Amino acid sequence: EQFEAMVAPLAAAFLSRAVGAEVSACAREVLRRYELAGQDLARRDAIDQRLAAARQQHLEAARRAEAARRSLEELARDAGVADPGGLEEAERRDEERRRLEARLASLDEALFTEGMTLDELSAAVAGADVEAARLRLDAIEEELAEVNEAVSALDRQLATQQEGLLRLLRKEGAFAAAADQQTVLARIAHLAERWARLRLASHILEQEVQRYRERNEGPIIRRASAIFPELTLGEYVALRSSYDERDEAELRCLGADGADVGVEALSDGTRDQLYLALRLASLERHAERGELLPLVVDDILVHFDEDRARAALSVLHRFSEVTQVLMFTHHARHVEIARQCLPEGGVVIHELTGGRRSAKAV
């Protein structure tokens, strides 16, 4: 019945439809959904990693695009590119210019070197018709001027077309970088949206789990939480159950100063007082079910100072109204404290063989 009472609010809170008449079916479904939530958390972590990688890729693409842009700007300044049209024709004319320059150099070499000295060249042209030679020279100079003009025009066209080529390359590189950037941004937006949904679902689930734990804290913990402050003289005011990072249950002690302390951080005496509070709460729980058991303890006050020993004996005396309490001790001081702090007839002292005493609270 207690199990059904625990499962019912879970099923009402987390199941959108009835799973079955048996409460175990509802419990299994809630557990299955909890496990799915754990898988979602693992997927969220993987998405976080991919998101970080995508952001890094985006930054690298942006850096490459910026580097390409600066490089193209430098090339454009160096070449003075203006128009990308006719680049192929400009290259062809550049080749023609180089061919004409090579031909001109060859003619110069043939005219002035050709293996002849100056006297030999003068003798070779001594009988030539001077007027005809002058006319031929004029024609050659005109042809040379035309060739030089053609070469200059080709140089101007080549410079213009090189400028256009670099501008075109710059635009194409920028377009490609922009396209890569938009792809990465779209991927980031998709992953960010999915991460936000999973993070919100995780947060809601964590809140619901915490609320359930607070509503259904066990009666033994609640009872021990009432006994523990009395045993510690108010140094600790309550107990609460919690869960560590591996989702394993652990017990936390709340101090009067607001400190939240784990069991492993308690002193030996305070830890003994905590265990005593838990044992008494457990026995009271058994007594509520009609399962009366005597409480037998052996030197449980060995780590207690005198004030806490008095408090513990008072708690044990009150517990003797529920069931019989037998306490063994070889410390005479504990016997004296029991006689002093407990009412008359509230304790019976038995001397055992060898001087060992047994105090029986009635």
Side-chain angles (χ1 to χ4, degrees):
E1 290 173 355
Q2 291 174 355
F3 181 65
E4 291 178 354
M6 292 171 62
V7 171
L10 280 176
F14 299 113
L15 303 182
S16 59
R17 58 183 178 82
V19 175
E22 294 186 357
V23 67
S24 59
C26 294
R28 284 194 296 271
E29 178 62 15
V30 171
L31 179 59
R32 186 186 69 84
R33 295 193 181 187
Y34 174 79
E35 292 173 346
L36 290 176
Q39 296 172 6
D40 286 342
L41 289 178
R43 287 194 294 270
R44 184 198 68 185
D45 292 339
I47 288 173
D48 285 342
Q49 295 177 0
R50 293 199 297 271
L51 178 61
R55 285 174 175 164
Q56 184 62 32
Q57 291 175 0
H58 167 65
L59 292 177
E60 292 177 357
R63 285 196 294 269
R64 290 198 300 270
E66 179 63 20
R69 184 186 64 77
R70 290 196 299 268
S71 178
L72 290 173
E73 288 178 352
E74 293 177 359
L75 289 173
R77 286 195 298 269
D78 293 341
V81 176
D83 186 2
L87 293 176
E88 185 176 353
E89 178 64 19
E91 185 178 2
R92 187 189 65 76
R93 293 191 178 187
D94 184 59
E95 292 178 356
E96 179 66 15
R97 179 182 63 81
R98 289 195 295 269
R99 187 184 65 79
L100 291 174
E101 288 178 346
R103 180 185 174 192
L104 180 61
S106 177
L107 289 174
D108 288 341
E109 184 180 1
L111 285 172
F112 298 105
T113 59
E114 204 177 10
M116 299 175 62
T117 65
L118 182 59
D119 293 337
E120 291 174 340
L121 181 59
S122 300
V125 300
D129 187 350
V130 177
E131 188 62 25
R134 185 177 292 110
L135 293 175
R136 177 58 179 162
L137 179 60
D138 292 340
I140 291 174
E141 288 177 349
E142 291 177 359
E143 182 180 359
L144 181 60
E146 292 175 358
V147 169
N148 286 334
E149 182 62 27
V151 170
S152 297
L154 288 173
D155 286 338
R156 291 191 296 271
Q157 292 180 7
L158 178 62
T160 300
Q161 291 169 358
Q162 285 177 341
E163 181 182 0
L165 175 60
L166 290 176
R167 188 162 57 246
L168 178 62
L169 291 175
R170 181 184 61 190
K171 290 181 179 179
E172 290 178 350
F175 290 155
D180 291 342
Q181 185 178 14
Q182 291 301 318
T183 300
V184 173
L185 288 175
R187 179 63 175 164
I188 289 175
H190 173 73
L191 292 176
E193 181 181 358
R194 177 166 175 76
W195 177 87
R197 289 198 302 268
L198 292 175
R199 184 67 187 89
L200 179 60
S202 172
H203 181 67
I204 292 174
L205 181 59
E206 289 171 357
Q207 286 186 331
E208 290 301 323
V209 169
Q210 183 61 29
R211 278 198 291 268
Y212 169 76
R213 287 169 178 168
E214 293 173 356
R215 288 196 306 267
N216 295 274
E217 189 175 27
I220 292 178
I221 297 298
R222 288 197 299 272
R223 180 58 184 143
S225 184
I227 299 173
F228 188 50
E230 186 175 356
L231 293 175
T232 61
L233 302 178
E235 181 179 356
Y236 292 92
V237 297
L239 300 173
R240 70 176 182 88
S241 60
S242 180
Y243 290 81
D244 59 17
E245 63 276 3
R246 295 175 297 182
D247 204 30
E248 295 180 355
E250 64 176 359
L251 194 62
R252 309 290 297 182
C253 304
L254 303 181
D257 57 356
D260 188 349
V261 182
V263 176
E264 68 284 352
L266 298 175
S267 65
D268 290 341
T270 305
R271 192 179 298 120
D272 288 347
Q273 291 146 23
L274 171 62
Y275 295 154
L276 177 58
L278 292 170
R279 178 59 58 85
L280 294 177
S282 178
L283 290 175
E284 286 184 2
R285 184 67 173 170
H286 280 287
E288 291 174 0
R289 300 173 182 173
E291 301 174 1
L292 295 178
L293 297 173
L295 174 62
V296 181
V297 293
D298 185 11
D299 266 336
I300 61 170
L301 306 180
V302 66
H303 294 301
F304 292 23
D305 60 29
E306 188 164 319
D307 291 335
R308 293 197 180 189
R310 292 175 182 274
L313 289 169
S314 297
V315 170
L316 290 173
H317 176 261
R318 189 170 61 249
F319 187 73
S320 67
E321 298 174 0
V322 178
T323 188
Q324 186 180 31
V325 178
L326 299 174
M327 188 180 81
F328 291 88
T329 180
H330 63 276
H331 292 278
R333 181 56 183 161
H334 292 161
V335 177
E336 294 304 321
I337 293 174
R339 286 186 172 137
Q340 293 172 7
C341 72
L342 297 182
E344 185 177 355
V347 62
V348 177
I349 308 299
H350 293 282
E351 296 285 348
L352 301 180
T353 303
R356 188 175 176 87
R357 293 181 174 90
S358 170
K360 174 183 176 183
V362 297

